[in-house]
Amino acid sequence: MNLIPRCLFVGVTALILSCTSQPSYHDGQPSSGAKDMAGAEGVFAFTPTDVMPDETSWWIDSDGVAPGIAGCHIGTDELGRENGRSFGEACLPNGLLVESNPGKGVLHSHTNDVGHPDTFDCNAWCVGEGMSGGSCQAAVASPCQQSAVCECQ
């Protein structure tokens, strides 16, 4: 049985996850941008703490599916005009990277304000990139003050 984590964004720019049970940290297959990448574990649903239930929110991803680049999800209106909301990528307690999608600069919607980021095993991703290994590390990705990246050795 696949356990679905209940996760929240805490703050406008910081991603802090609070999960119950022993979650797998993914409840679906990797996104189309991540499906052929080493270390891709799958997507999961989470909601910002400033959730706008029953509304469609709009976002632009700063980096696309790029575990080696710290990214920021920037809130906009349906025309792509920034609205002050944002959240960065993050390292989960089990070391997986939360990697936003769908693609760099792509304006996209979140139904009921729920996003579906990918999770990555950074060590597997780094090995797939020809490195000896790696891990998830905190980083900055303006305008987000907190984000994360797979740092390879």
Side-chain angles (χ1 to χ4, degrees):
M1 175 170 162
N2 196 10
L3 297 173
I4 300 172
R6 295 179 186 249
C7 302
L8 298 173
F9 283 112
V10 176
V12 175
T13 59
L15 174 67
I16 299 174
L17 298 174
S18 170
C19 300
T20 59
S21 276
Q22 296 262 338
S24 65
Y25 289 107
H26 60 274
D27 58 16
Q29 296 299 312
S31 70
S32 61
K35 69 178 178 167
D36 294 326
M37 297 175 75
E41 298 272 326
V43 297
F44 69 100
F46 61 68
T47 307
T49 57
D50 62 346
V51 64
M52 299 183 311
D54 303 322
E55 290 192 32
T56 298
S57 56
W58 293 87
W59 302 88
I60 294 176
D61 185 20
S62 70
D63 68 327
V65 182
I69 300 172
C72 184
H73 231 52
I74 302 163
T76 71
D77 64 14
E78 63 276 358
L79 300 176
R81 295 179 294 225
E82 292 183 24
N83 63 14
R85 297 177 82 197
S86 65
F87 56 86
E89 296 167 346
C91 297
L92 294 171
N94 66 355
L96 293 179
L97 171 72
V98 175
E99 177 65 32
S100 55
N101 55 53
K104 183 177 181 174
V106 174
L107 177 65
H108 63 283
S109 63
H110 290 180
T111 303
N112 295 319
D113 210 22
V114 177
H116 294 87
D118 284 284
T119 55
F120 274 86
D121 175 329
C122 286
N123 190 63
W125 181 79
C126 289
V127 169
E129 293 294 304
M131 307 296 184
S132 62
S135 62
C136 188
Q137 300 293 319
V140 174
S142 187
C144 291
Q145 292 177 0
Q146 291 183 321
S147 187
V149 64
C150 285
E151 190 172 293
C152 301
Q153 289 87 40

